[in-house]
C-alpha cells in the first residue's frame, strides 16, 4: 500500500490492482491495459474495453456555432439547427434543418433512392402525397385525393386537365395532331399533311363520321356511308337532298 500526502514523483510506476484517486489528478500520458471505467455520481458513464468505447449517458459535440449530442434518455442522436450531417470526402451529401426547413443537398452525381415502395406522406402521416411501387405504377395525390396514376399501357387522370392558351396537346411521334386554344379560337390541327378522321364505334364496329383531307375534300358520313363530299367544283351528294323551310 502507498499512502501519500502531497506530491509524488516517480520515473515509472507499475501498479497491479485498483487505483483510487480523490481530488484533482493530472496525468500527461496514460496507458491502460485492460478495461477502463469512468463513474459520475456513483454510476458508470464510460467504459473502454476491447470492444471499443461504450457510453451510458449523454454526449455533446460542440462546433464553432452549433452542436450535436446523443440524448441517452430519449434514444436519439440530435443535431441542432444548421448542424449538418455531411457524407462523402467532399461533403457531397448534406442533411440538415436550417430552423425553418429541412434540406437534403447532393452536389456530386445522382441522388438515388432505392425502395420497393416509395411513399411520401404529410408531416403527421394523415395524407399521402406520392406513392411509387416497384413493378407497378406511380400515384400523385392532392390533399389526400388520387389525381394521377401510371399503369402498364396508359396514364389515368382523375380530374380535369387544364392547359393554358397557346399550349398544345401534341399527339404522334412527330406531333402529327395538335389540340389547343389561342385565346380566341379552339383548334384541331394536323400540321404534317395528315388527314383528320372522326370515327365512332357501334356494336363493336368502327364507323366513319367525317374526314378532312389536306388539299382535298371534306367528307361527311351517315351510318358509315359517305353522303356528302366537297370537290373543286362544289359538293357531291349521295342520296336525296331534303330542304326544310324555316
Amino acid at each position: 500500500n502507498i499512502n501519500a500526502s502531497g506530491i509524488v514523483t516517480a520515473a515509472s510506476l507499475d501498479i497491479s490492482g485498483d487505483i483510487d484517486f480523490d481530488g484533482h489528478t493530472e496525468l500527461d500520458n496514460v496507458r491502460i491495459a485492460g478495461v477502463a471505467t469512468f463513474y459520475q455520481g456513483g454510476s458508470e458513464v464510460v467504459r473502454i474495453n476491447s470492444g471499443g468505447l461504450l457510453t451510458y449517458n449523454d454526449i455533446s459535440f460542440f462546433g464553432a456555432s452549433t452542436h450535436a449530442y446523443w440524448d441517452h434518455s430519449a434514444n436519439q442522436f440530435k443535431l441542432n439547427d444548421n448542424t449538418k450531417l455531411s457524407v462523402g470526402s467532399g461533403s457531397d451529401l448534406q442533411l440538415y434543418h436550417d430552423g425553418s426547413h429541412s434540406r437534403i443537398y447532393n452536389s456530386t452525381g445522382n441522388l438515388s433512392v432505392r425502395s420497393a415502395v416509395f411513399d411520401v406522406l404529410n408531416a403527421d402521416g394523415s395524407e399521402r402525397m406520392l406513392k411509387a411501387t416497384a413493378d407497378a405504377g406511380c400515384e400523385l395525390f392532392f390533399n389526400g385525393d388520387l389525381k394521377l396514376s401510371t399503369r402498364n399501357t396508359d396514364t389515368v387522370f382523375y380530374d380535369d386537365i387544364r392547359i393554358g392558351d397557346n399550349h398544345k396537346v401534341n399527339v404522334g411521334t412527330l406531333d402529327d395532331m395538335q389540340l389547343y386554344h389561342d385565346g380566341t379560337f379552339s383548334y384541331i390541327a394536323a400540321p404534317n399533311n395528315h388527314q383528320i378522321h372522326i370515327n365512332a364505334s357501334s356494336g363493336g364496329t368502327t364507323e366513319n363520321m367525317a374526314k378532312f383531307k389536306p388539299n382535298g375534300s371534306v367528307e361527311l358520313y351517315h351510318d358509315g356511308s359517305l353522303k356528302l363530299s366537297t370537290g373543286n367544283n362544289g359538293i357531291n351528294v349521295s342520296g336525296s337532298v331534303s330542304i326544310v323551310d324555316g
Side-chain angles (χ1 to χ4, degrees):
N1 295 328
I2 298 176
N3 294 316
S5 177
I7 300 175
V8 177
T9 303
S12 63
L13 188 64
D14 188 353
I15 300 174
S16 178
D18 296 336
I19 303 176
D20 187 358
F21 291 103
D22 292 324
H24 178 73
T25 303
E26 183 175 337
L27 304 171
D28 293 331
N29 191 356
V30 180
R31 180 177 180 180
I32 300 173
V35 178
T37 57
F38 299 85
Y39 288 81
Q40 174 66 38
S43 299
E44 182 180 351
V45 293
V46 177
R47 175 182 295 185
I48 304 173
N49 59 23
S50 60
L53 175 66
L54 309 177
T55 63
Y56 302 96
N57 213 326
D58 296 346
I59 303 177
S60 294
F61 303 88
F62 289 92
S65 59
T66 184
H67 71 281
Y69 60 97
W70 166 252
D71 189 334
H72 175 265
S73 61
N75 296 314
Q76 293 181 358
F77 188 77
K78 298 182 178 181
L79 282 73
N80 281 5
D81 289 344
N82 293 303
T83 301
K84 298 179 180 180
L85 176 63
S86 297
V87 183
S89 300
S91 297
D92 307 291
L93 174 63
Q94 297 182 349
L95 293 85
Y96 67 98
H97 188 79
D98 63 8
S100 300
H101 306 286
S102 298
R103 303 188 182 275
I104 301 175
Y105 285 156
N106 178 60
S107 60
T108 304
N110 297 330
L111 178 62
S112 298
V113 179
R114 293 187 178 186
S115 177
V117 178
F118 183 67
D119 205 1
V120 180
L121 307 178
N122 65 345
D124 64 6
S126 62
E127 293 181 1
R128 177 168 282 112
M129 295 186 287
L130 180 150
K131 183 178 181 181
T133 305
D135 301 322
C138 297
E139 297 176 335
L140 292 177
F141 296 79
F142 176 81
N143 197 27
D145 294 328
L146 180 62
K147 296 297 180 181
L148 181 149
S149 63
T150 61
R151 304 191 303 189
N152 184 40
T153 57
D154 56 25
T155 299
V156 181
F157 295 86
Y158 296 93
D159 216 331
D160 295 343
I161 301 174
R162 299 186 183 277
I163 301 174
D165 289 344
N166 292 303
H167 293 281
K168 300 175 181 179
V169 176
N170 293 301
V171 182
T173 303
L174 300 176
D175 299 340
D176 302 298
M177 187 182 78
Q178 299 176 344
L179 292 84
Y180 64 98
H181 185 80
D182 67 1
T184 304
F185 302 106
S186 298
Y187 294 87
I188 300 174
N192 295 322
N193 202 35
H194 291 290
Q195 298 182 17
I196 295 177
H197 292 192
I198 299 176
N199 300 332
S201 295
S202 176
T205 301
T206 300
E207 296 180 351
N208 292 319
M209 299 182 69
K211 294 182 180 180
F212 304 88
K213 302 178 180 181
N215 302 316
S217 64
V218 173
E219 298 177 354
L220 298 179
Y221 293 77
H222 174 77
D223 197 19
S225 298
L226 178 63
K227 295 300 180 181
L228 185 148
S229 64
T230 62
N232 287 332
N233 298 318
I235 62 173
N236 299 309
V237 177
S238 176
S240 61
V241 177
S242 298
I243 300 176
V244 179
D245 186 18

